Amino acid sequence: MDQIVIRGGQRLKGRIPISGAKNAALTLLPCALLTDEPLTLRNLPRLADVDGFGHLLNQLGCSTTIEGSRPEDFGRVMTARATTLTSTVAPYDIVRKMRASILVLGPLLARAGEATVSLPGGCAIGNRPIDLHLKALEAFGAEIELASGYVKAVAPGGRLAGGKFTFPVVSVGATENAAMAAVLAKGTCVLENAAREPEIVDLCNCLVAMGAHIEGIGTETLTIEGVDRLHGATYRVMADRIEAGSYACAAVITEGDVELVGAKASEMEATLAALRAAGATVEDTKGGIRVAMADRAQPVTLSTAPYPGFATDMQAQFMAMATLGTGASLFTETIFENRYMHVPELARMGCDIQVKGRTAVVRGVDKLIGAPVMATDLRASMSLIIAGLAAQGTTEVNRVYHLDRGYERLEEKLQAVGADIERISAG
Ligand code: EPZ
């Protein structure tokens, strides 16, 4: 397994290109199943999960063709076309490796009137149930059966009727699955307390470009009037606000000065407000966002929340940044039940972090010492990279396959702004 080795202490200076958003790409790709015409996605990031999703689409009869990239994009252009579906089954061996595969459930149900998808199971950060996905689809008329670890969903008469569902808790994936199921329903579907993340806006904008009728985009109430068919489209994947926020934390902890090229401030206001509260200079530039820091971070108190609150996907990275700050910072993780897996690994580098239930207190220390550490999940592994960039000595991050799921060309991007970082391939 590959390892990333960092010799800490370099201030990051320069421009970091921000790739297309993983969490937008993973909900835009299944949209190709909703039409027999080609869907072309631009600015698609080169990530393990994106490749995995392309493989899943192929299994369902959807062709995927990579067409290079455009100069104004950092990612690739992919055209996906499901002229006819050859299967409506997402098998366990694919779904267990990539939970986002569950996002074919809604589109298959809408296009083919049926879908059989393996239950995704849990992961390192939580048991990740999908009950809300299923309840929303049932509210639109789907008949759902659970058997032998699979969800079998059927639309009576081959088409969802329409209906209304109010989410008891905000769920990004359930909102995405329900919206993709609703666009081809016979009637109108209403989702209340829907997720409002920018990735949901990206999904809705792509569906509208394909001919869907959606009102309330960006709000907690989505009203979707079903249409008989959707057509193809060309759509550019939004910039990855979590990747941008992660590199911002790296800039702050190294007391550097970077421009996050392609990042959009309007999509990451809570992250930028937290960076300013920590004492960073944050300003819009023509091409993105500049983040600079001349001193140690000030203490912050942060609680994760659905958008527009502080993103749970930024918690581990921000915590790493706070470890070298002054005073005591307080983090509360309200979304996932086990999202502090990075804490024992950060402690190996000399961080002072006390976890009690959903809350963690981070007391700033004067220095971090590089050490061999283990990545456990995607964002935890980025927190170890961030700490390693500022630690004295060498940090070896193992199990970097976690990182490759969400950070495109990470060492290349960090080398370009002065980091002493390399990937050691284990053959
Ligand atoms: C998406 O996961 C993201 N993944 C996650 O990013 C992100 O952390 C999460 O949204 C929250 O923003 C993708 O977009 C591929 P949820 P998702 O449904 O959709 C509970 C990363 O690091 N819930 O919004 O799975 C759930 O247990 C990844 O990029 C139910 O109870 O998250 C959690 O407590 C990690 N029943 C809360 O809702 C359900 O049916 C939020 O989960 C669904 C969710």
Side-chain angles (χ1 to χ4, degrees), residues 9 15 24-25 28 67 91 170 190 192 197 211 220 227 256 268 292 306 313 320 351 364-365 369 393 418 420 422:
R15 294 159 53 96
L28 292 171
E67 298 159 2
V170 172
V190 178
E192 292 184 331
E197 273 66 4
E220 69 277 8
V227 294
M268 46 193 295
D313 290 351
C351 301
V365 293
I369 310 295
D420 182 346
E422 61 179 329

Side-chain angles (χ1 to χ4, degrees), residues 22-23 26 99-100 103 125 127-133 169-174 176 197 312-313 335-337 339 378-379:
K22 165 180 89 79
N23 290 349
L26 294 177
R99 306 191 67 267
L103 293 175
I125 64 176
N127 73 13
R128 312 292 293 275
I130 61 161
D131 56 313
L132 299 180
H133 297 237
V169 296
V170 172
S171 164
V172 170
E176 292 166 344
E197 273 66 4
T312 175
D313 290 351
I335 307 289
F336 291 111
E337 60 267 33
R339 205 164 197 179
L378 170 57
R379 306 302 173 184

